[in-house]
Amino acid sequence: MPTPSSSARLFIIYTGGTIGMAYNDSSGTLVPMSFKEIKYHIPEIARLGYEFDMFAFTPPIDSSNMSPEIWVELAEIIHEKYDTYDGFIILHGSDTMAFTASALSFMLQNLAKPVILTGSQLPIGEIRTDAKENIITAMEIAGARRNGLAIVPEVCIYFDYFLFRGNRTKKFNTETFEAFRSINYPPLAEAGINIKYNDKFIFPVPAGEFHINTKLCTDIAVLKMFPGISQNTVEAVLNTPGLKAVIMETFGNGNTTTAPWFIKCLDHAVQNGIIVLDRTQCDGGAVELGRYETSAYLQQIGVTNGKDLTYEAAVTKLMFLLGQNYPATTVKKLLETSLKGELTEK
Ligand code: ASP
């Protein structure tokens, strides 16, 4: 049986999520439990030959309570431990894992080591749990090196035999073990009998010193289009006090209604300095402003093209760019540029 060829030191951060939950005896609901002794649950990890240390959030959280403050904390922990460890594993609830992975991809600069998020659909104590495979393979990938360099120096999600670029991933299914997909970017690795790395889609180890950038701004909103959306709703979102940017979730290639009141509202918002990022509601494919008449006017107004950004990457990229206090023109330009492989530039 293939085993990892060299030893590595890994740091595991347990934030919470189903992976470490247990059924509450009285209410029957799943609640986070403490998860200190990972070796007790998965004795097999000793056979990887890796050394590892662990930090557990107290109390552990359901990832629906994840927040930008905790993303900063995670970035700071990784920064503090960076020189001591070869790779990092973040055990995280699946609900918002794609947001955390996307946020960290922007906050961790010149990352030369793997940061792998994983979790599970069934708690680790359940007989049919998917937690063991997810953790063991995530650890193997986090410690994998070739010629002394990390094979995957990126923030990734590993789940159900696939390794994905974190900022390309979305939670896709609440029930099957295949909880995540990366529709617009190929998997970085697939775990079968061997772990097959898709080298040409993985970033090379960067030059430059690792550092973190933890400035985030949450003054954003989302405007999801639907046939029949009212002027009141659109105005309520665009007039949110303090709003700096809005993600407009559009139809198909980035289209919206061309009702005159809607165009006027949008134009007014852009004139007032609000960045409007056009992101398609479709999971696959990209926004193509001007392909149809129903998006051509958006270009004229000055709407920004979200291309094939996931919702999670759009939210966190906006928070990151707004946090830098760049002028709006710079934010708009960088939104349409790939910073960490989160979109396809065309
Ligand atoms: N509600 C859980 C969480 O996100 C679900 C999971 O872990 O899969 O924390």
Side-chain angles (χ1 to χ4, degrees):
M1 191 172 78
T3 49
S5 51
S6 59
S7 70
R9 286 193 82 181
L10 304 181
F11 194 74
I12 303 176
I13 305 169
Y14 168 60
T15 65
T18 297
I19 198 161
M21 287 187 183
Y23 288 99
N24 178 300
D25 289 342
S26 52
S27 66
T29 55
L30 278 170
V31 290
M33 62 168 194
S34 108
F35 190 82
K36 293 203 183 83
E37 224 5 290
I38 190 171
K39 282 187 207 152
Y40 165 80
H41 294 287
I42 322 180
E44 298 91 326
I45 56 177
R47 289 166 53 199
L48 283 171
Y50 292 165
E51 278 175 53
F52 65 90
D53 295 306
M54 187 158 173
F55 170 76
F57 278 31
T58 1
I61 58 164
D62 184 299
S63 81
S64 298
N65 285 317
M66 191 45 68
S67 66
E69 290 75 24
I70 304 178
W71 295 337
V72 172
E73 200 181 326
L74 288 170
E76 284 170 347
I77 295 172
I78 292 169
H79 186 233
E80 191 195 311
K81 308 282 180 193
Y82 192 78
D83 291 337
T84 315
Y85 295 90
D86 300 304
F88 296 84
I89 308 282
I90 302 178
L91 302 177
H92 195 292
S94 62
D95 290 351
T96 63
M97 192 186 293
F99 288 91
T100 300
S102 298
L104 288 175
S105 77
F106 299 118
M107 295 161 83
L108 306 180
Q109 310 279 323
N110 289 333
L111 181 68
K113 300 182 178 184
V115 174
I116 316 284
L117 287 92
T118 194
S120 66
Q121 294 282 61
L122 277 176
I124 198 158
E126 295 287 305
I127 298 175
R128 291 178 51 251
T129 187
D130 49 334
K132 287 190 181 190
E133 200 292 313
N134 286 347
I135 294 181
I136 292 169
T137 307
M139 286 178 72
E140 179 158 354
I141 293 171
R145 280 173 293 175
R146 208 183 274 137
N147 304 322
L149 297 176
I151 298 182
V152 194
E154 296 203 26
V155 179
C156 305
I157 287 183
Y158 179 78
F159 222 96
D160 196 39
Y161 302 105
F162 283 96
L163 182 76
F164 300 115
R165 174 168 293 162
N167 59 30
R168 288 291 196 155
T169 311
K170 69 175 277 139
K171 183 165 180 183
F172 142 85
N173 198 304
T174 60
E175 236 175 79
T176 62
F177 288 146
E178 184 202 6
F180 288 90
R181 281 202 179 163
S182 161
I183 293 168
N184 285 323
Y185 199 75
L188 303 185
E190 185 177 352
I193 291 175
N194 296 305
I195 298 176
K196 279 198 202 135
Y197 292 96
N198 213 347
D199 289 316
K200 67 175 189 279
F201 294 104
I202 301 174
F203 280 129
V205 171
E209 209 176 315
F210 173 73
H211 61 278
I212 57 174
N213 182 332
T214 56
K215 286 177 279 176
L216 300 172
C217 167
T218 57
D219 294 332
I220 66 172
V222 179
L223 177 62
K224 186 158 185 163
M225 302 306 298
F226 56 90
I229 193 166
S230 74
Q231 186 166 349
N232 280 346
T233 303
V234 172
E235 282 178 355
V237 174
L238 295 178
N239 293 332
T240 304
L243 186 70
K244 294 203 173 81
V246 63
I247 296 167
M248 183 169 70
E249 292 234 305
T250 54
F251 308 123
N253 293 108
N255 311 313
T256 62
T257 171
T258 51
W261 66 263
F262 180 77
I263 299 178
K264 213 169 134 202
C265 282
L266 221 52
D267 191 29
H268 186 71
V270 175
Q271 294 306 320
N272 283 336
I274 292 174
I275 292 164
V276 180
L277 179 65
D278 185 339
R279 202 200 80 83
T280 175
Q281 291 176 18
C282 299
D283 291 332
V287 165
E288 231 183 300
L289 292 180
R291 181 176 170 89
Y292 294 92
E293 186 217 347
T294 42
S295 72
Y297 76 94
L298 296 173
Q299 244 173 344
Q300 286 149 22
I301 290 177
V303 164
T304 305
N305 188 337
K307 301 188 181 180
D308 57 355
L309 278 177
T310 61
Y311 174 60
E312 294 82 348
V315 166
T316 54
K317 187 174 183 180
L318 265 178
M319 287 185 183
F320 178 76
L321 291 176
L322 293 173
Q324 310 309 308
N325 269 323
Y326 294 136
T329 45
T330 308
V331 174
K332 286 184 188 178
K333 192 164 162 257
L334 292 177
L335 278 170
E336 295 183 352
T337 309
S338 166
L339 301 181
K340 295 296 179 74
E342 72 281 3
L343 57 75
T344 311
E345 283 185 30
K346 273 193 204 135

